[in-house]
Amino acid sequence: MTQIRSVVLGCGSYLPEQVVTNAQLAARIDTSDEWIVQRTGIRERHIAAEGEFTSHLAIKAAQAALADAGMDAQSIELIVLATSTPDNTFPATAVAVQHALGINHGAAFDLQAVCSGFVFALATADNFLRTGAYKRALVIGAETFSRILDWNDRGTCVLFGDGAGAVVLEAQEQPGKAATDRGVVTTHLRSDGRHKAKLFVDGGPSSTQTVGHLRMEGREVFKHAVGMITDVIVDAFQATGLNADSIDWFVPHQANKRIIDASAHKLHIAPEKVVLTVDRHGNTSAASIPLALSVARKDGRIKRGDMVLLEAMGGGFTWGSALVRW
């Protein structure tokens, strides 16, 4: 039986111009390039300029994705924007993107699952497209995490950066075979609120009437990350009959190189199949996966027909996986 799949037609990204190196951070706080690289693999990150908002990053990433797809913005019926750093408490940053693209039909909304946001947004759009509710969608991950960092906390401020990435999806009829169909083959999402205190922002409109700052128990997050990540990837393999050998590219959330390496090792995914951008981008939360996808597309690694494995874990905790044949 044939099946409707959400096929990726285009991918794009945007990074703010300002680059902050580890050496620059070491001049401001008690840290060093060696300390940061050894523990995280991060060497630099991009920081949004004054007056440059999450919506601005998202708009440019969306335009790049549309250009890559060779599509006019008017063909987009759904925009799902994953972010934890919206321009405003409301309305959704997605409607600012919608307006900037000249779209006044369909639906646009934000989705909040922190670093897992892009996987959650991809799964959400995929479900809308597979039911026939919409034909084409923009899925965006965009963040300005620099705005919620405590720049005196060396345990967190060295980790994060700003950026945006996007993909264009189209509902297409496929033969119905997980091993060969193009598009989103399967997604698996999880959350567990018991772990909130390990990674959260200590502010919000209802609780403190402030934005707040990011707080993290780094060792606790690391301890849970590898197990949770591999859990949802095993679920994806079981649901499709695929395995590590079936994967052409592993594009994980770019949080920490040690977590990425440990996850790939546990899953028996060869190092040469892992797409790494954390050294150049830092942790860009919901933007990290589409940014990494865009890099690997532009340099020719990810090609049509490749099976791509995505995974992420974020505050909440939330975590999820997706298998996508390009």
Side-chain angles (χ1 to χ4, degrees), residues 24-323:
Q24 289 172 298
L25 288 178
R28 298 170 49 183
I29 58 173
D30 181 19
T31 190
S32 68
D33 176 67
E34 182 184 12
W35 188 90
I36 298 169
V37 172
Q38 183 181 17
R39 287 162 177 78
T40 70
I42 299 169
R43 297 184 182 277
E44 61 185 32
R45 69 288 294 147
H46 292 251
I47 301 297
E50 184 177 352
E52 189 173 36
F53 305 155
T54 294
S55 62
H56 299 145
L57 277 57
I59 291 162
K60 290 178 180 178
Q63 290 169 334
L66 287 165
D68 185 50
M71 291 176 58
D72 184 88
Q74 293 303 314
S75 66
I76 298 297
E77 301 165 316
L78 174 68
I79 300 174
V80 185
L81 194 160
T83 187
S84 299
T85 52
D87 290 6
N88 303 100
T89 300
F90 73 83
T93 300
V95 301
V97 176
Q98 182 189 39
H99 175 64
L101 295 176
I103 303 170
N104 56 17
H105 58 265
F109 59 88
D110 290 356
L111 184 150
Q112 218 281 49
V114 202
C115 298
S116 305
F118 183 77
V119 174
F120 274 59
L122 184 73
T124 301
D126 174 51
N127 278 284
F128 274 113
L129 266 57
R130 285 193 296 108
T131 63
Y134 300 103
K135 175 70 173 177
R136 295 186 184 91
L138 257 175
V139 180
I140 308 168
E143 302 281 16
T144 49
F145 254 54
S146 61
R147 306 277 158 76
I148 58 170
L149 297 178
D150 177 352
W151 288 97
N152 294 312
D153 179 5
R154 73 167 188 165
T156 58
C157 75
V158 302
L159 303 177
F160 295 91
D162 303 334
V167 296
V168 176
L169 299 179
E170 180 180 73
Q172 293 185 7
E173 193 172 272
Q174 296 290 313
K177 297 179 180 179
T180 56
D181 281 2
R182 286 189 70 204
V184 178
V185 177
T186 190
T187 59
H188 297 266
L189 310 179
R190 302 281 185 275
S191 61
D192 187 343
R194 292 176 296 176
H195 301 289
K196 173 189 171 181
K198 297 179 177 68
L199 179 54
F200 71 107
V201 169
D202 61 1
S206 178
S207 57
T208 64
Q209 299 83 57
T210 64
V211 174
H213 292 108
L214 185 148
R215 306 298 179 194
M216 181 173 71
E217 298 176 15
R219 290 180 181 177
E220 285 295 307
V221 173
F222 188 96
K223 186 173 73 176
H224 286 84
V226 176
M228 289 178 168
I229 288 165
T230 54
D231 170 51
V232 285
I233 291 174
V234 169
D235 286 350
F237 288 159
Q238 290 177 344
T240 58
L242 302 175
N243 55 42
D245 293 335
S246 311
I247 304 304
D248 294 298
W249 298 105
F250 178 38
V251 185
H253 167 50
Q254 306 289 315
N256 183 303
K257 188 177 183 297
R258 290 194 299 164
I259 293 175
I260 294 169
D261 289 346
S263 301
H265 178 76
K266 187 174 180 179
L267 291 160
H268 305 292
I269 296 174
E272 58 269 21
K273 292 183 177 183
V274 181
V275 176
L276 278 172
T277 59
V278 68
D279 58 329
R280 290 164 281 168
H281 300 166
N283 182 346
T284 54
S285 188
S288 80
I289 289 176
L291 276 168
L293 283 172
S294 183
V295 167
R297 277 286 294 143
K298 287 177 181 176
D299 66 23
R301 277 179 287 177
I302 295 178
K303 300 177 290 295
R304 178 168 173 154
D306 284 352
M307 181 61 81
V308 182
L309 171 62
L310 315 178
E311 62 79 8
M313 173 190 165
F317 286 152
T318 62
W319 63 105
S321 68
L323 278 172

